[in-house]
Amino acid sequence: MELSLENLTKRFAEKPAVHDVSATLRPGVYGLLGANGAGKTTLMRMVCDVLKPSAGRIAFDGADIARMGDEYRAMLGYLPQDFGYYPDFTAMDFMLYMAALKGLDRRAAKLRCAELLEEVGLAAHAKAKVRTFSGGMKQRLGIAQAVINDPAVLVLDEPTAGLDPKERVRFRNLISGFSQDKIVLLSTHIVSDVEYIADDILVMKAGRFVLRGRPDAVVSSVAGKVWECRVSARQADELSASACVCNVHYASDGGAVVRVAADEAPVAGAASVEPTLEDLYLYTFRDDAGAGAAGAAASEVRRDRKSGLFGGRR
């Protein structure tokens, strides 16, 4: 089983959102990392045959998905970033509705829906209306409907956005369990969501793949470019405004330990440390913060850490 992206380009008003992207995907989990506007959602909508490429093509086992039509869609599972649902449907009604849309036999659909609601921990809520569900419960319902047809290709666009850390871990475990013998494309800017379950990492920037490989191989590309140093609180603030700061730990004595992603040591005495996937992400997108190298990015990282968005090692 193989999904091929062949010189894929998508333009909107002559501006390329995805530009000349090529990759061959086989069974496994592929983590698609990128900042907002990198082209992730556009790429995934093309993989789902929702958007047509401006150039290039997508092939499943050598056949163009645009020509396969319903045959390809029958092998596809999709959880979009904005998961729509009917609020007055019960969980079971919604699952049966999605099963009907995907052409499942009604008797087989009832068994399949009950089985999936059990797997995602919603069996006890099968008769509850979806509008009463928490965000995490809705996302679990979303993954259940995405795999109802036992798809060969499973596409998940920002599936854990807005979930608390406990729900995110649970959701990651669900995805990992559903990923056997499937091509799973998981798009996110939350690094820890792919750090633990992805077989391959695809880093997308300005509509292109800028890095690809196993997590450890990708992370090794920034070896020697991550530093830790102990400085005063004032120096820590200055570094945050002028460098790609991954983390700051302020001590009670007025000092701070600062982690920086940079080509050179940010201050005298800074020690080179082992990089993480989070460091790679921040280093790759450091210039997107605009003037001041990475001041805005560093502020965003600190906000994300407080809200639990990043779960990598410090």
Side-chain angles (χ1 to χ4, degrees):
M1 184 166 57
E2 186 175 278
L3 187 70
S4 300
L5 315 181
E6 303 172 4
N7 304 111
L8 208 58
T9 294
K10 180 63 181 180
R11 301 183 188 89
F12 295 102
E14 299 305 311
K15 182 179 179 180
V18 174
H19 186 63
D20 197 27
V21 165
S22 295
T24 300
L25 311 182
R26 298 183 179 88
V29 179
Y30 293 84
L32 182 59
L33 286 176
N36 292 335
K40 304 188 305 295
T41 295
T42 298
L43 176 64
M44 299 185 94
R45 287 170 65 84
M46 286 192 286
V47 168
C48 292
D49 201 28
V50 175
L51 284 177
K52 301 298 181 185
S54 302
R57 72 166 193 156
I58 301 173
F60 183 83
D61 284 344
D64 192 320
I65 66 168
R67 295 183 179 179
M68 291 177 70
D70 289 342
E71 182 187 356
Y72 175 70
R73 284 186 284 275
M75 297 185 291
L76 180 71
Y78 181 35
L79 178 57
Q81 186 172 353
D82 298 314
F83 168 48
Y85 59 90
Y86 293 99
D88 288 324
F89 274 28
T90 66
M92 179 58 80
D93 287 342
F94 180 76
M95 290 292 290
L96 289 171
Y97 172 71
M98 296 304 297
L101 289 181
K102 295 185 179 183
L104 273 68
D105 173 78
R106 183 166 180 80
R107 179 174 295 180
K110 284 186 176 181
L111 292 174
R112 177 68 172 161
C113 292
E115 175 187 282
L116 285 172
L117 288 175
E118 179 71 36
E119 263 192 85
V120 300
L122 292 176
H125 306 278
K127 295 182 179 180
K129 291 188 176 182
V130 180
R131 62 179 165 82
T132 67
F133 285 6
S134 67
M137 292 169 72
K138 288 172 185 173
Q139 288 298 80
R140 280 186 269 148
L141 184 63
I143 188 66
Q145 65 81 28
V147 299
I148 198 168
N149 57 329
D150 193 22
V153 179
L154 179 58
V155 179
L156 307 167
D157 190 2
E158 300 283 0
T160 61
L163 301 187
D164 65 41
K166 184 177 178 180
E167 281 287 3
R168 279 180 31 229
V169 170
R170 183 172 187 170
F171 198 81
R172 288 202 307 260
N173 292 339
L174 281 173
I175 294 167
S176 185
F178 284 129
S179 67
Q180 297 179 16
D181 303 319
K182 300 184 192 318
I183 297 169
V184 180
L185 188 58
L186 167 63
S187 165
T188 186
H189 64 276
I190 302 174
V191 178
S192 60
D193 285 344
V194 297
E195 187 171 16
Y196 301 110
I197 63 171
D199 300 298
D200 227 31
I201 301 291
L202 304 168
V203 182
M204 196 169 191
K205 184 175 183 179
R208 300 177 182 267
F209 290 153
V210 294
L211 283 171
R212 176 182 176 181
R214 294 187 59 82
D216 55 350
V218 170
V219 168
S220 69
S221 68
V222 290
K225 297 180 180 179
V226 181
W227 312 84
E228 280 192 357
C229 52
R230 183 170 179 81
V231 296
S232 68
R234 181 182 59 79
Q235 287 175 301
D237 291 340
E238 290 172 354
L239 281 172
S240 294
S242 62
C244 180
V245 172
C246 305
N247 189 50
V248 181
H249 178 74
Y250 290 97
S252 57
D253 62 2
V257 176
V258 183
R259 188 181 183 96
V260 179
D263 293 327
E264 304 290 340
V267 296
S272 178
V273 294
E274 184 179 350
T276 66
L277 190 59
E278 179 182 308
D279 296 324
L280 166 75
Y281 180 93
L282 293 170
Y283 178 83
T284 301
F285 296 100
R286 66 196 187 283
D287 293 333
D288 292 358
S299 297
E300 182 178 349
V301 170
R302 288 194 294 277
R303 288 196 302 272
D304 287 345
R305 280 193 178 281
K306 289 178 182 178
S307 63
L309 287 180
F310 284 112
R313 298 183 301 277
R314 296 188 178 186

